[in-house]
Amino acid sequence: MDCLFCKIVAGDIPCTKVYEDDMVLAFKDIDPKAPFHILIIPKNHIKSAAEINGENSEVVAHIFEIAAKIAKDENLEKGFRLVTNCGEDGGQTVSHLHFHMLAGRSLAWPPG
Ligand code: 5GP
Ligand code: ZN
């Protein structure tokens, strides 16, 4: 399948890994928008948040659990943002579900 993040999961494209288990991979974003910016993705290909259903939603809960663990490990006690862009208007550029975890500066709200 011609999917960038599936290739990263397979090891065909290198990444800077932050966390990995049998369900998820977390790695540094190549173009960071904050001092701390990682992507947390399911290893299985899911196109976007719009494809989440009763069959595959378990991995989303797991991603939030791992984000909380990473926040502790990385000492992000001032907070962080966990966000997924979905579809064209959501600003999604890679069609494999991913959660941006951003921290290390005060983040604007609402987003532009
Ligand atoms: P989106 O725009 O879909 O919400 O997020 C895609 C993210 O993937 C962007 O923040 C972009 O910088 C990141 N990205 C794109 N290509 C690569 C890559 O090859 N390696 C890594 N580590 N991140 C990438
Ligand atoms: Zn994929």
Side-chain angles (χ1 to χ4, degrees), residues 4-5 8 13 27-31 33 37 39 85 91-94 98 100:
L4 177 64
F5 288 174
I8 287 179
I13 292 174
F27 54 96
K28 289 191 176 169
D29 195 291
I30 206 167
D31 180 19
K33 314 297 189 297
H37 185 179
L39 302 171
N85 298 326
Q92 184 177 10
T93 60
V94 178
H98 52 282
H100 296 261

CSV table of all heavy atoms in Angstrom, one decimal, residues 4-5 8 13 27-31 33 37 39 85 91-94 98 100, ligand 1:
chain,number,residue,atom,x,y,z
A,4,LEU,N,2.7,6.5,3.5
A,4,LEU,CA,3.9,7.0,4.1
A,4,LEU,C,4.0,6.4,5.5
A,4,LEU,O,5.1,5.9,5.9
A,4,LEU,CB,3.9,8.5,4.2
A,4,LEU,CG,5.1,9.2,4.9
A,4,LEU,CD1,6.4,8.9,4.1
A,4,LEU,CD2,4.8,10.7,5.0
A,5,PHE,N,3.0,6.4,6.3
A,5,PHE,CA,3.1,6.0,7.7
A,5,PHE,C,3.1,4.5,7.8
A,5,PHE,O,3.8,3.9,8.7
A,5,PHE,CB,2.0,6.6,8.6
A,5,PHE,CG,2.2,8.1,8.9
A,5,PHE,CD1,1.3,8.9,9.5
A,5,PHE,CD2,3.4,8.8,8.4
A,5,PHE,CE1,1.5,10.2,9.8
A,5,PHE,CE2,3.6,10.1,8.7
A,5,PHE,CZ,2.6,10.9,9.3
A,8,ILE,N,6.7,3.8,7.4
A,8,ILE,CA,7.4,4.1,8.6
A,8,ILE,C,7.3,2.9,9.6
A,8,ILE,O,8.2,2.4,10.2
A,8,ILE,CB,7.0,5.4,9.2
A,8,ILE,CG1,7.6,6.6,8.3
A,8,ILE,CG2,7.5,5.6,10.7
A,8,ILE,CD1,7.3,8.0,8.8
A,13,ILE,N,10.9,3.4,5.8
A,13,ILE,CA,11.3,4.9,5.9
A,13,ILE,C,11.7,5.1,7.4
A,13,ILE,O,11.0,4.7,8.3
A,13,ILE,CB,10.2,5.8,5.5
A,13,ILE,CG1,9.9,5.6,4.0
A,13,ILE,CG2,10.5,7.2,5.9
A,13,ILE,CD1,8.7,6.4,3.5
A,27,PHE,N,6.6,8.8,17.1
A,27,PHE,CA,7.9,9.2,16.5
A,27,PHE,C,7.8,10.7,16.3
A,27,PHE,O,6.8,11.3,16.3
A,27,PHE,CB,8.2,8.5,15.2
A,27,PHE,CG,7.1,8.6,14.2
A,27,PHE,CD1,7.2,9.6,13.2
A,27,PHE,CD2,6.0,7.7,14.2
A,27,PHE,CE1,6.2,9.7,12.2
A,27,PHE,CE2,5.0,7.8,13.2
A,27,PHE,CZ,5.1,8.8,12.2
A,28,LYS,N,9.0,11.3,16.2
A,28,LYS,CA,9.1,12.8,16.1
A,28,LYS,C,8.6,13.2,14.7
A,28,LYS,O,8.9,12.6,13.7
A,28,LYS,CB,10.6,13.2,16.3
A,28,LYS,CG,11.0,13.1,17.8
A,28,LYS,CD,12.3,13.7,18.0
A,28,LYS,CE,12.7,13.6,19.5
A,28,LYS,NZ,14.0,14.0,19.8
A,29,ASP,N,7.9,14.3,14.8
A,29,ASP,CA,7.4,14.9,13.5
A,29,ASP,C,8.6,15.5,12.8
A,29,ASP,O,9.5,16.1,13.4
A,29,ASP,CB,6.4,16.0,13.8
A,29,ASP,CG,5.6,16.4,12.5
A,29,ASP,OD1,6.2,17.0,11.6
A,29,ASP,OD2,4.4,16.1,12.4
A,30,ILE,N,8.7,15.3,11.5
A,30,ILE,CA,9.8,15.7,10.7
A,30,ILE,C,9.9,17.3,10.6
A,30,ILE,O,11.0,17.9,10.3
A,30,ILE,CB,9.8,15.1,9.3
A,30,ILE,CG1,11.2,15.0,8.6
A,30,ILE,CG2,8.8,15.8,8.3
A,30,ILE,CD1,11.2,14.1,7.4
A,31,ASP,N,8.8,17.9,10.8
A,31,ASP,CA,8.7,19.4,10.7
A,31,ASP,C,8.0,19.9,11.9
A,31,ASP,O,6.8,20.3,11.9
A,31,ASP,CB,7.9,19.7,9.4
A,31,ASP,CG,7.8,21.2,9.2
A,31,ASP,OD1,8.6,22.0,9.8
A,31,ASP,OD2,6.9,21.7,8.4
A,33,LYS,N,6.2,21.7,14.9
A,33,LYS,CA,5.4,23.0,15.1
A,33,LYS,C,5.5,23.5,16.5
A,33,LYS,O,4.9,24.5,16.9
A,33,LYS,CB,4.0,22.8,14.7
A,33,LYS,CG,3.7,22.1,13.4
A,33,LYS,CD,4.3,22.8,12.2
A,33,LYS,CE,3.9,22.1,10.9
A,33,LYS,NZ,4.3,20.8,10.6
A,37,HIS,N,7.1,17.8,19.5
A,37,HIS,CA,6.1,17.5,18.5
A,37,HIS,C,6.3,16.1,18.0
A,37,HIS,O,7.2,15.8,17.2
A,37,HIS,CB,6.1,18.5,17.3
A,37,HIS,CG,5.0,18.3,16.3
A,37,HIS,ND1,4.8,19.1,15.2
A,37,HIS,CD2,3.9,17.4,16.3
A,37,HIS,CE1,3.7,18.7,14.6
A,37,HIS,NE2,3.2,17.6,15.2
A,39,LEU,N,4.2,12.3,16.6
A,39,LEU,CA,3.0,11.7,16.1
A,39,LEU,C,2.8,10.4,16.7
A,39,LEU,O,3.8,9.6,16.8
A,39,LEU,CB,3.1,11.6,14.5
A,39,LEU,CG,3.4,12.9,13.8
A,39,LEU,CD1,3.8,12.6,12.3
A,39,LEU,CD2,2.3,13.9,13.9
A,85,ASN,N,-6.0,15.8,12.8
A,85,ASN,CA,-6.6,16.5,11.7
A,85,ASN,C,-7.3,15.5,10.8
A,85,ASN,O,-6.7,14.4,10.5
A,85,ASN,CB,-5.5,17.3,10.9
A,85,ASN,CG,-4.8,18.3,11.7
A,85,ASN,OD1,-5.4,18.9,12.6
A,85,ASN,ND2,-3.5,18.5,11.5
A,91,GLY,N,-7.3,19.7,7.6
A,91,GLY,CA,-5.9,19.9,7.4
A,91,GLY,C,-5.1,18.7,7.4
A,91,GLY,O,-3.9,18.7,7.6
A,92,GLN,N,-5.7,17.5,7.1
A,92,GLN,CA,-5.0,16.2,7.1
A,92,GLN,C,-4.2,16.1,5.8
A,92,GLN,O,-4.8,16.3,4.7
A,92,GLN,CB,-6.0,15.1,7.2
A,92,GLN,CG,-5.3,13.7,7.3
A,92,GLN,CD,-6.3,12.6,7.5
A,92,GLN,OE1,-7.5,12.8,7.4
A,92,GLN,NE2,-5.7,11.4,7.8
A,93,THR,N,-2.9,15.9,5.9
A,93,THR,CA,-2.1,15.7,4.7
A,93,THR,C,-1.6,14.3,4.5
A,93,THR,O,-1.1,13.9,3.4
A,93,THR,CB,-0.8,16.6,4.7
A,93,THR,OG1,0.0,16.4,5.9
A,93,THR,CG2,-1.3,18.1,4.7
A,94,VAL,N,-1.6,13.5,5.6
A,94,VAL,CA,-1.2,12.0,5.5
A,94,VAL,C,-2.4,11.2,5.8
A,94,VAL,O,-2.9,11.3,7.0
A,94,VAL,CB,0.0,11.7,6.4
A,94,VAL,CG1,0.4,10.2,6.3
A,94,VAL,CG2,1.2,12.6,6.0
A,98,HIS,N,-3.4,9.7,12.7
A,98,HIS,CA,-2.2,10.1,13.6
A,98,HIS,C,-2.7,11.2,14.5
A,98,HIS,O,-3.5,12.1,14.1
A,98,HIS,CB,-1.0,10.5,12.7
A,98,HIS,CG,-1.3,11.6,11.7
A,98,HIS,ND1,-1.9,11.3,10.5
A,98,HIS,CD2,-1.1,12.9,11.7
A,98,HIS,CE1,-2.0,12.4,9.8
A,98,HIS,NE2,-1.6,13.4,10.5
A,100,HIS,N,-1.3,14.3,16.7
A,100,HIS,CA,-0.1,15.2,17.0
A,100,HIS,C,-0.1,15.4,18.5
A,100,HIS,O,-1.2,15.7,19.1
A,100,HIS,CB,-0.3,16.5,16.3
A,100,HIS,CG,-0.4,16.5,14.8
A,100,HIS,ND1,0.7,16.8,14.0
A,100,HIS,CD2,-1.4,16.2,13.9
A,100,HIS,CE1,0.4,16.8,12.8
A,100,HIS,NE2,-0.9,16.4,12.7
B,1,5GP,P1,-1.3,16.2,9.0
B,1,5GP,O1,-0.9,17.4,8.2
B,1,5GP,O2,-1.8,15.1,8.2
B,1,5GP,O3,-2.2,16.5,10.2
B,1,5GP,O4,0.1,15.7,9.7
B,1,5GP,C1,1.1,15.0,9.0
B,1,5GP,C2,2.4,15.3,9.7
B,1,5GP,O5,3.3,14.4,9.2
B,1,5GP,C3,3.0,16.7,9.5
B,1,5GP,O6,3.1,17.4,10.7
B,1,5GP,C4,4.3,16.4,8.8
B,1,5GP,O7,5.3,17.3,9.3
B,1,5GP,C5,4.6,15.0,9.2
B,1,5GP,N1,5.4,14.2,8.3
B,1,5GP,C6,5.2,14.2,6.9
B,1,5GP,N2,6.1,13.4,6.4
B,1,5GP,C7,6.9,12.9,7.4
B,1,5GP,C8,8.0,11.9,7.4
B,1,5GP,O8,8.4,11.4,6.5
B,1,5GP,N3,8.5,11.7,8.7
B,1,5GP,C9,8.0,12.2,9.8
B,1,5GP,N4,8.6,11.9,11.0
B,1,5GP,N5,6.9,13.1,9.8
B,1,5GP,C10,6.4,13.4,8.6
